[in-house]
Amino acid sequence: MLIIYFPIIVSLFAIAFVFFLIVKINKAPVAKGKAIAITAAIQEGAISYLKRQYKTVSVVALVLFLGLWIFMGWVMAFGFLIGAFLSGLSGFIGMLVSTQTNTRVAEASRPSGRGSPDEAARRGLAQGLDLSFKGGLVTGLLVVSLGLLAVSGYYFLTGISGLIALGFGASLISVFARVGGGIYTKAADVGTDMVGKIEKNIPEDDPRNPGVIADQVGDNVGDCAGMAADIFETYSVAMVAAMILGALLYPKSPQFVLLPLMLGSISILTSIIGSFFVKLGKSKSIMGAMYKGVIVSIILSAVAFYFVISKMMAGQMVAANNLFLSCIVGLVIAAGMFVIVEYYTSKKYGPVKSIAQASETGHGTNIIRGIGIGMQSTAFPILLIASGIIISFGLAGIYGVALAVVSMLSISGIVVGVDAYGPITDNAGGIAEMSGMDPEVRKITDALDAVGNTTKAVTKGYAIASAGLAALVLFSAYTQEITNRLGTVAIFDLSNPKVIAGLLIGGLLPYLFASFLMGAVGKTAGKVVQEVRRQFREIKGLMEGTAKPEYGKCVDIVTKAAIKEMMIPALIPVVAPILVGVFLGPEALGGLLIGATVTGLFVGISMTTGGAAWDNAKKYIEEGNLGGKGSFAHQAAVTGDTVGDPYKDTAGPAINPMIKVLNIVALLIVAFLV
């Protein structure tokens, strides 16, 4: 009986802990003076954008809700509605907490007046880290607790059938959140930087720049709301896929359906415990502090998994030890992705330094080297994922692969906490700069922000790897569903021209999808550039700091453009499988799913990692290396960072939900195709 209610109890406990964290954050002092108005403008812009985005998406969701009710019944329709609502809610609350925490982090980062200057700065850094991580952890724990509550609650109410639609609802909102938020954040960032840093040679986040508020808003709607919806969807879909496989493969053994829920429950608790270990040590290593929490969570999860699996699977046809080892494979892939992506994106290692060095010879060589690093960065992650698939399949078949994905995603609570920490510190640095705080505060927020770039890249790599594995599990569920309906094993034979056609069309989709997003960012950034130039040209005294820019104009431009430009790319993964399935059949649709997953992994990893490497190469030079700020190398690095921005924060991350929506839609329509 406890097994049935345990996931719901843990979810509610985690939600209560989230409210405890919010109370602690709200007790922290708020920055005074100009910072209050700046924070209010950021929060107002973020809320306004998300309201308009959700209003637009709700129209699409309503049409799909009615269609599901008419053709598949109320269970599927309400599953879709619950998934969509909670995905959007997790992003909205995460964004609200982020915009409340940013100004408090700026205030907390003031060096303490006691002791030596070095010790005072260390205390300011420790306080800033503690508060920004708590803000990020709110989003992380909210994502996994709502995801687990939705999946377990709806399963216990209606059974396995409605879970596919629940995953579809979460996936749909995730695509819109990633696409719309990504276009917003990078169009504002690129447009603002191109005029401010390149043409006017003024600092990043300078209050004279008319685009800075739009840029700060973008960090929240893209990285907070977008990432929250993305991981909520990946987490929920992985759970759903593993449970469906358990039901299809072992129909007389409910333990195989319940096991993913138990693993998720355990890791929520270990993530909460691990969060208490995120403390700045004597080495002042911010990344080290983050890793302590993640490592503790992984180790505790691994130990707990052994006892849970041994208890639940005693006497079952699949050896409990093999299932446990499959879970360990998933945790190893998660840890491996952290190490690999950090190597390619951290300022400490060769790849980023090589881009910085290439900047000394010009803008073109910076771009060439950055693209090369992005391509190269796919090798080790793909080999790691391939090895994980082979090992976990060898241990326990496709169910073993499903458990590897679930265990990998089970630590999402603390992983998203590490990611959502990034936009909070980025905003804190902007608030410190714009409100004229002491330069020592900006130095501390810059140190926090520099690590935030790496943590965001690392968690995006983690998200893409898990998305690829989740898509594989969903494809297996699709195959198994066809097999059950036909009564014979479904075979996707490469001698079948329809399968080949499906592979090619599927391989095309991530490129087509990414091209729409890159084009949208470029077009919208161009509008921001024109507006920022106009204000510098027409508002007398703006450059001198005696006049105030019209921040709202740029916010309005990117808001309207993001809503308009997100529609076509977000609908591609919904429409494409329906068209291919209806006109070419289930064999071609199977090929499409594999083709999109394969190329999606490469496009997603190369874009997110390469973009982050470009960004940190710029920051490496800004620290005084290779001529420092204002040098020729710095100008080239700013250009590289401008190209890398939509790579890492718009197109790359949006590939995750895209490939899963394709698979979910295929699962939904398989009954009509076979």
Side-chain angles (χ1 to χ4, degrees), residues 659-670:
I659 59 177
K660 292 193 296 299
V661 170
L662 290 168
N663 283 271
I664 286 282
V665 172
L667 258 178
L668 276 172
I669 66 172
V670 69

Side-chain angles (χ1 to χ4, degrees), residues 6 96 104 175 279 511 576 580 586 615 635 655:
F6 187 67
L96 280 179
R104 291 172 167 83
V175 170
K279 301 289 181 187
Y511 287 96
V580 170
D615 193 350
Q635 293 172 11
I655 297 292

Side-chain angles (χ1 to χ4, degrees), residues 207-208 535 539-551:
R208 294 171 291 178
Q535 292 195 35
I539 300 177
K540 293 180 180 179
L542 182 55
M543 192 63 187
E544 293 73 23
T546 57
K548 186 179 178 182
E550 298 172 345
Y551 296 122

